[in-house]
Amino acid sequence: MNCETARLLMENNDPALAQHLLSCPSCVIRTRARYYEPPPDLEGRIRQSLRRENSTPAPWRWLAIAAAVLLAASLAWNIALLRSRTIATQLVAANVLSAHLRSLAGTHLLDVPSSDQHTVKPWFNGKLDFSPAVKDLEGFPLLGGRLEYLDGHPAAALVYGRRQHIINLFIWPSATPIAEASETRKGYNLQSWSGNGMVFWAVSDLNQAELRQFVSLYERN
Amino acid sequence: MDPIRKLALFEQNVMPHLPAAYNLARWLTRNDHDAEDLVQEAYLRAFRSFETFQGVDGRAWLLAVVRNTCLTWLRKKGLHPTEEFDERAHSAAEQSTDAESLLLNQAALGSLNDCLEALPLEFREVIVLRELEELSYKEISDIARVPVGTVMSRLARGRKRLQQCLAGALR
């Protein structure tokens, strides 16, 4: 007797069934155990959650998105920082040139007129909270020194000559070093660099090559 | 896999087996509400790992996921002790009752569902998979992660326990 026969016997309340069931509990289960039907709305809910799942990016994709956002933010931040630094440098360059022009326009080029570095250097003592390096440079005679106020700092101005040209070398201490740069403004050449916790700006109407020569001589000595 | 194609394939291969999934979850949890939640969770799990589906039998594959989801949940709730069922200790008791002498009648059949529900989980799951889903021993062995021989012995013992339970219900 197979289960299908058993089912038929059972439906007809046939006494032969009991005999069969004794030997076949499997048939009892197959024919009489409850088969639970899913609630009618379950399939809809599952389909909905699958659609949601399909439209949400995988975890690694979230990571990638987060990384992209971070990268963009850090890029924007760096560009903003760079721009603000560039703007600040431009401002200092303008001030440096103004100071140079002021020194030539009036009578106030030198506070301490001397070609002797051992006169000029000590003159700054007590006037500045740092001691600028005053150097004798071959081909660029020292003319003297002057006090300036630049970029919110008291600054030393060392004045050198080259033929009829005047070179102002401005020095002041700064915690943030600047990149070495040269530029031309209104026909004047400017060179800036930093070292030993100082910022240096050289400005002159001298041509760029000779100004560069001046700078490298000053740096080497 | 393209997400839209994946969903279409999944709905085509796995969705039709919802009744089997629900029936198994309901027999394992013995509770409508938990069965619904776990089937839904199992479907999500199955969908996420649909790439591992080899395209042979969506029903057996889905039932394996449902079974694991339910067992994990039962274990977490402490409803399914992890220690193995002591088969020798129980088999001695089984032989002492003469199940064969039982005369089954309609009254006994009425308590069949209660008896099946009262079976220890390892017997209940193989009986549901075998008698209600009519899966092969091999398929059940894959789903329950036990050797085919164990499936067969659990089936035999499960049936016997069921008979005993029905006999007890008659007395």
Side-chain angles (χ1 to χ4, degrees):
Chain A
M1 188 187 292
N2 62 27
C3 290
E4 185 53 25
T5 324
R7 195 181 59 76
L8 288 172
L9 293 176
M10 196 176 326
E11 274 172 8
N12 298 308
N13 265 330
D14 194 304
L17 175 69
Q19 205 52 47
H20 172 65
L21 289 182
L22 278 181
S23 58
C24 181
S26 166
C27 292
V28 185
I29 303 163
R30 283 184 190 212
T31 49
R32 299 304 296 255
R34 184 161 169 197
Y35 197 99
Y36 288 97
E37 297 293 330
D41 62 328
L42 182 58
E43 180 169 343
R45 274 187 284 140
I46 290 174
R47 282 182 193 273
Q48 226 171 16
S49 73
L50 290 180
R51 292 216 151 64
R52 258 200 312 276
E53 170 78 10
N54 217 23
S55 58
T56 18
W60 65 265
R61 238 182 250 186
W62 280 119
L63 267 179
I65 289 169
V69 168
L70 271 177
L71 188 71
S74 103
L75 218 65
W77 171 254
N78 274 303
I79 288 172
L81 211 66
L82 202 69
R83 270 190 66 169
S84 77
R85 269 196 202 147
T86 313
I87 289 167
T89 312
Q90 295 287 311
L91 208 67
V92 175
N95 285 335
V96 164
L97 181 58
S98 298
H100 178 70
L101 294 175
R102 257 195 326 271
S103 73
L104 300 178
T107 50
H108 185 218
L109 178 61
L110 301 167
D111 285 330
V112 48
S114 168
S115 61
D116 180 5
Q117 55 167 317
H118 302 293
T119 307
V120 175
K121 188 176 167 75
W123 179 83
F124 285 109
N125 285 344
K127 298 182 180 66
L128 293 172
D129 58 355
F130 63 96
S131 181
V134 183
K135 300 171 181 178
D136 270 331
L137 303 175
E138 180 87 43
F140 298 89
L142 179 67
L143 302 178
R146 181 177 86 250
L147 266 185
E148 275 288 351
Y149 196 82
L150 282 167
D151 195 27
H153 306 273
L158 303 180
V159 184
Y160 291 88
R162 176 75 161 183
R163 299 186 301 276
Q164 302 308 309
H165 306 283
I166 297 290
I167 303 169
N168 264 299
L169 173 60
F170 300 104
I171 306 170
W172 68 89
S174 168
T176 46
I178 57 167
E180 197 170 324
S182 61
E183 64 172 299
T184 303
R185 268 179 184 252
K186 299 179 180 172
Y188 291 87
N189 289 312
L190 291 87
Q191 279 224 44
S192 54
W193 71 98
S194 43
N196 300 325
M198 300 285 175
V199 172
F200 300 85
W201 281 84
V203 53
S204 175
D205 59 342
L206 194 62
N207 66 69
Q208 214 167 29
E210 281 184 286
L211 186 62
R212 202 164 283 148
Q213 189 195 343
F214 165 79
V215 168
S216 62
L217 263 177
Y218 180 87
E219 278 294 273
R220 235 184 298 144
N221 279 26
Chain B
M1 205 190 295
D2 166 44
I4 292 169
R5 195 177 134 66
K6 178 182 168 188
L7 185 61
L9 268 178
F10 184 83
E11 292 196 336
Q12 186 189 327
N13 284 289
V14 187
M15 217 57 216
H17 304 303
L18 177 61
Y22 183 78
N23 182 53
L24 177 62
R26 178 61 182 74
W27 275 113
L28 294 184
T29 58
R30 299 186 278 209
N31 170 322
D32 289 327
H33 186 75
D34 294 332
E36 270 185 59
D37 287 352
L38 289 169
V39 165
Q40 203 165 340
E41 189 188 328
Y43 260 93
L44 266 183
R45 278 203 210 179
F47 184 63
R48 282 176 194 145
S49 57
F50 190 46
E51 280 81 2
T52 66
F53 173 57
Q54 299 298 316
V56 184
D57 183 3
R59 189 170 59 133
W61 181 77
L62 175 67
L63 290 180
V65 180
V66 169
R67 186 247 180 203
N68 287 339
T69 308
C70 288
L71 258 68
T72 307
W73 180 82
L74 287 169
R75 245 176 235 134
K76 211 179 288 172
K77 282 195 71 180
L79 293 179
H80 175 50
T82 42
E83 69 260 24
E84 278 301 301
F85 182 69
D86 187 345
E87 314 222 325
R88 265 169 309 170
H90 286 83
S91 62
E94 275 161 23
Q95 276 153 12
S96 68
T97 321
D98 187 11
E100 302 289 316
S101 70
L102 168 69
L103 184 72
L104 280 173
N105 59 18
Q106 295 292 330
L109 293 176
S111 46
L112 173 69
N113 287 320
D114 295 335
C115 284
L116 182 53
E117 199 159 85
L119 273 188
L121 187 80
E122 52 269 55
F123 299 129
R124 210 183 328 140
E125 67 174 356
V126 291
I127 286 183
V128 169
L129 291 172
R130 178 67 188 160
E131 314 291 15
L132 296 184
E133 297 304 335
E134 300 184 19
L135 294 178
S136 70
Y137 295 138
K138 176 73 181 69
E139 285 172 314
I140 297 170
S141 123
D142 288 343
I143 291 172
R145 295 176 181 172
V146 290
V148 171
T150 308
V151 171
M152 292 165 81
S153 70
R154 280 188 187 174
L155 266 175
R157 265 199 297 278
R159 287 172 185 145
K160 202 150 216 173
R161 282 175 150 253
L162 213 60
Q163 279 184 317
Q164 289 175 316
C165 174
L166 290 173
L170 271 186
R171 272 188 217 118

